[in-house]
Amino acid sequence: MLRTHFLRATQLAHRQLHTTASRAARRPPVVPQTPSVEQAVYNILHTTPEVQHKGSRQILSCLAHNEPGVITRVSGILQSRGFNIESFVAAHTELPGLSRMTVVLNGDGNQIVQAKRQLEDIVPMWAVLDYTNTKLVERELLLVRVSILGPEAQGEEQEPEDDVDVVWASKKLRETSAHLRALTELTRLFEGRLLDVSSDSVIIELCAKPGRITSFIKLCRPFGVLEASRTGVMALPRAPLPEEPQDDEFEDEHEGVDATTLPPG
């Protein structure tokens, strides 16, 4: 019985798709109208985002000996200063016994200097690096589970299998396929990956900058975000490029060359 209903739903969906395509082919092409100057200015003002004044974002990288209680001491010093910690990541490095802690927080620059001095006084701490005004490579990992049934389907009750409505099943089948294709394309644009696909949700992996991950989560909300997990910010400074010699320096080096000492030709 379920197979018969599924075949009827597939035939109905194919017929509706063919009818919609034939109607769209008969419609005359729509010629876009050129907006006036007032409409163009209004569109620019409407689409320009407002300036958001945020606090000073500070990034500290702490190199410490791997022993119990180090993370508690670092978080205690920052908490006593009243900093708003956005991210706190601690992990082992390539050397045994050495750990790196990357802390992203908001606060005043003078308070950051004082907190840095206190962190350097901790016994197992090797060094505290301030990456605030340094060119960095920042990355964060996101795992998010998104519904492919839509946010409105989370509270719906499933109908019994014996009384399956053909139109309802066909509509749900098309909506699920459309949501899956849209999420796949959105993930591809953000250079992410689909790790798991089920009948009602997908798990997406994305490694990018923190702002890009926040934007991706906002774009996934209309589909229905079931759960999400972020690792926090990891950062390393960029390697400086060698500076090319200026033209003046190049000319000065070749000014003292005597043309008579050069070989013929």
Side-chain angles (χ1 to χ4, degrees), residues 143-163:
L143 290 179
V144 57
R145 186 190 301 273
V146 187
S147 172
I148 59 176
L149 303 177
E152 67 279 355
Q154 298 181 13
E156 292 183 357
E157 297 181 358
Q158 299 292 336
E159 297 186 3
E161 296 182 357
D162 297 337
D163 299 328

Side-chain angles (χ1 to χ4, degrees), residues 2 15 28 51 56 67 82 109 151 155 204 221 238 257 262:
L2 290 177
R15 189 181 309 166
V51 179
S56 178
E67 63 179 44
I204 302 174
R221 284 177 182 172
R238 293 183 179 272
V257 178
L262 297 177

Side-chain angles (χ1 to χ4, degrees), residues 228-249:
S229 177
R230 303 175 64 166
T231 59
V233 178
M234 295 171 287
L236 285 178
R238 293 183 179 272
L241 297 176
E243 298 182 358
E244 297 182 357
Q246 302 294 332
D247 296 339
D248 298 338
E249 298 178 359

Side-chain angles (χ1 to χ4, degrees), residues 113-156:
V113 173
Q114 296 177 1
K116 179 183 175 182
R117 293 174 180 174
Q118 290 186 358
L119 292 176
E120 291 175 344
D121 293 338
I122 299 178
V123 174
M125 188 70 64
W126 290 100
V128 179
L129 307 175
D130 189 359
Y131 287 161
T132 303
N133 298 322
T134 307
K135 295 182 180 180
L136 301 175
V137 176
E138 298 182 34
R139 289 298 180 267
E140 186 175 357
L141 182 64
L142 168 70
L143 290 179
V144 57
R145 186 190 301 273
V146 187
S147 172
I148 59 176
L149 303 177
E152 67 279 355
Q154 298 181 13
E156 292 183 357

Side-chain angles (χ1 to χ4, degrees), residues 33 69 95 126 147 168 177 186 195 226 240 247 264-265:
Q33 298 180 357
L95 299 177
W126 290 100
S147 172
W168 180 84
S177 301
L186 181 63
L195 300 182
L226 303 179
D247 296 339

